[in-house]
């Protein structure tokens, strides 16, 4: 008997079929507690070419630093007006924009504290599995002691930092591969 390799499967673009009802570019409503922030950016490949079929999935804690998840057993309040989840497709130019609140700090391993951050999953055509990264906020004092940021070489950390422009909107891009500007992605 001869065995033949089967075709490989990727994570996209199938997430665009039948899953658009999960898209949510506004994670916080008018009753959500916390500082409102808008984050914009673009998804490009290593050559700088637009990736026009990507989708970002965003997970985060609320303003008090508590996740709306049963495993988060912290003695912090849940915000009934915030789920901490969004799914954001890019447009034809690979651009995205979403609004949320700045999350509070959450506990890390061994009694450490993590700086306010958003967890981001990146889905796109050609990826065998989604990519995992984070968005931190430039200028956040807690960044200097964040245990995960400390693991990232200093010269690569800027790929995880959203920078506020003159209007207060945070800018953060996803570079999928190939250059010194490649976004830091984490194993899981």
């Amino acid at each position: 008997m001869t065995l033949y390799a089967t075709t490989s499967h990727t994570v996209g673009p199938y997430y665009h079929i039948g899953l658009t009802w999960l898209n949510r570019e506004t994670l916080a409503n008018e009753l959500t507690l916390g500082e409102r922030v808008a984050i914009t950016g673009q998804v490009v490949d290593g050559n700088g070419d637009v990736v026009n079929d990507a989708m970002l999935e965003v997970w985060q804690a609320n303003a008090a630093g508590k996740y709306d998840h049963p495993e988060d057993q912290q003695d912090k309040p849940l915000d009934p007006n915030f789920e901490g989840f969004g799914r954001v497709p890019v447009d034809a130019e690979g651009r995205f924009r979403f609004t949320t609140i700045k999350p509070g700090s959450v506990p890390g391993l061994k009694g450490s504290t993590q700086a306010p951050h958003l967890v981001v999953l990146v889905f796109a055509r050609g990826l065998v599995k989604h990519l995992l990264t984070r968005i931190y906020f430039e200028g956040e004092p807690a960044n200097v002691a964040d245990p995960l940021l400390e693991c990232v070489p200093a010269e690569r950390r800027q790929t995880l930092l959203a920078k506020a422009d003159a209007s207060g909107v945070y800018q953060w891009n996803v570079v999928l591969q190939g250059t010194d500007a490649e976004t830091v992605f984490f194993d899981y």
Side-chain angles (χ1 to χ4, degrees), residues 134-177:
R134 285 185 173 190
I135 300 173
Y136 289 89
F137 299 89
E138 183 179 59
E140 172 63 43
N143 287 349
V144 295
D146 183 89
L148 192 63
L149 273 177
E150 287 178 345
C151 294
V152 176
E155 66 275 6
R156 303 283 322 284
R157 289 181 194 154
Q158 78 280 357
T159 70
L160 300 175
L161 298 176
K163 299 165 181 63
D165 65 16
S167 69
V169 173
Y170 283 90
Q171 304 293 319
W172 179 76
N173 294 318
V174 178
V175 179
L176 293 179
Q177 65 184 15

Side-chain angles (χ1 to χ4, degrees), residues 35-129:
E35 175 190 347
R36 302 290 187 280
V37 294
I39 299 176
T40 65
Q42 187 176 38
V43 180
V44 297
D45 67 15
N47 295 323
D49 295 330
V50 168
V51 177
N52 62 6
D53 67 349
M55 192 228 1
L56 306 180
E57 200 170 86
V58 180
W59 296 87
Q60 70 173 94
N62 66 20
K66 184 171 177 80
Y67 288 96
D68 187 4
H69 192 278
E71 289 186 21
D72 188 338
Q73 297 296 312
Q74 298 179 80
D75 187 23
K76 294 179 179 177
L78 274 177
D79 183 344
N81 297 299
F82 187 69
E83 294 177 1
F85 170 79
R87 182 172 275 179
V88 185
V90 300
D91 66 15
E93 297 301 316
R95 293 188 191 102
F96 61 87
R97 178 184 176 93
F98 63 94
T99 57
T100 187
I101 51 108
K102 191 173 184 182
S105 295
V106 297
L109 296 174
K110 300 179 183 176
S112 64
T113 300
Q114 299 179 59
H117 66 276
L118 311 176
V119 176
V120 179
L121 301 175
V122 180
F123 298 83
R125 149 186 36 94
L127 296 177
V128 177
K129 66 179 189 175

